[in-house]
Amino acid sequence: MKIAVGSDHAGFELKNYVVEWLKEKGHDAVDMGPFSEESVDYPDYARKVALSVADGTFRQGVLLCGTGIGVSISANKVKGIRAALACNPEFATLARQHNNANIICFSARFTDRETIARSLENWFAADFEGGRHERRVNKIEPCC
Ligand code: RB5
């Protein structure tokens, strides 16, 4: 699967881990930066990943920042993006099953490698359940 991965400086190290992990699992993972630990602004990288998922270049995305909150908020500003912050593997499963999330976000400061790996496994193993969840997801639209 084609996956775009991005972060800010706080997520830099874990972002590199995620890119390697995805490649090892056979995914076509593309690192969209940053490429050093120099301080950057998370909205820039979140937007880059979100736009590339929204336009269909990538099927899904992974974003990381210190808390995962900044990249989630930023990515969700792009039409068609449903970015979900996963605090544990169960969140990852439910974000796919119930929310049809197309970007998964992680906190680099409060989530360890093992949790991220298990979360990504769950994320790829889960499918959107549709039905009542589809009705709800279809209601997620900008309203003003
Ligand atoms: C950067 O210090 C930090 O604010 C950022 O990584 C993130 O946690 C924002 O939501």
Side-chain angles (χ1 to χ4, degrees):
M1 191 185 291
K2 285 194 79 175
I3 315 283
V5 188
S7 72
D8 69 355
H9 52 285
F12 174 73
E13 195 196 321
L14 270 175
K15 183 260 296 169
N16 294 342
Y17 167 75
V18 165
V19 170
E20 287 313 308
W21 187 94
L22 289 168
K23 285 181 178 171
E24 271 173 27
K25 301 289 175 191
H27 295 287
D28 184 2
V30 174
D31 186 345
M32 303 194 78
F35 301 104
S36 81
E37 277 181 306
E38 189 183 330
S39 183
V40 294
D41 299 331
Y42 59 81
D44 298 335
Y45 293 89
R47 186 177 302 120
K48 203 168 157 185
V49 167
L51 288 172
S52 74
V53 172
D55 73 13
T57 306
F58 293 91
R59 180 111 166 262
Q60 294 179 353
V62 182
L63 284 167
L64 304 99
C65 67
T67 58
I69 295 171
V71 287
S72 310
I73 293 171
S74 306
N76 278 315
K77 293 293 178 190
V78 175
K79 192 170 168 54
I81 292 303
R82 292 173 300 280
L85 176 58
C87 302
N88 59 49
E90 291 73 27
F91 274 45
T93 299
L94 290 167
R96 289 287 310 129
Q97 290 180 339
H98 289 191
N99 311 111
N100 200 16
N102 46 16
I103 294 183
I104 185 165
C105 304
F106 294 109
S107 161
R109 293 193 176 131
F110 300 99
T111 316
D112 58 24
R113 286 184 175 204
E114 179 67 16
T115 302
I116 290 179
R118 298 291 79 78
S119 298
L120 288 171
E121 280 172 1
N122 282 11
W123 170 261
F124 291 116
D127 289 317
F128 182 47
E129 289 179 352
R132 69 187 188 283
H133 301 298
E134 184 154 26
R135 184 180 72 242
R136 292 163 186 165
V137 166
N138 287 340
K139 287 184 176 182
I140 303 173
E141 281 294 325
C143 59
C144 50

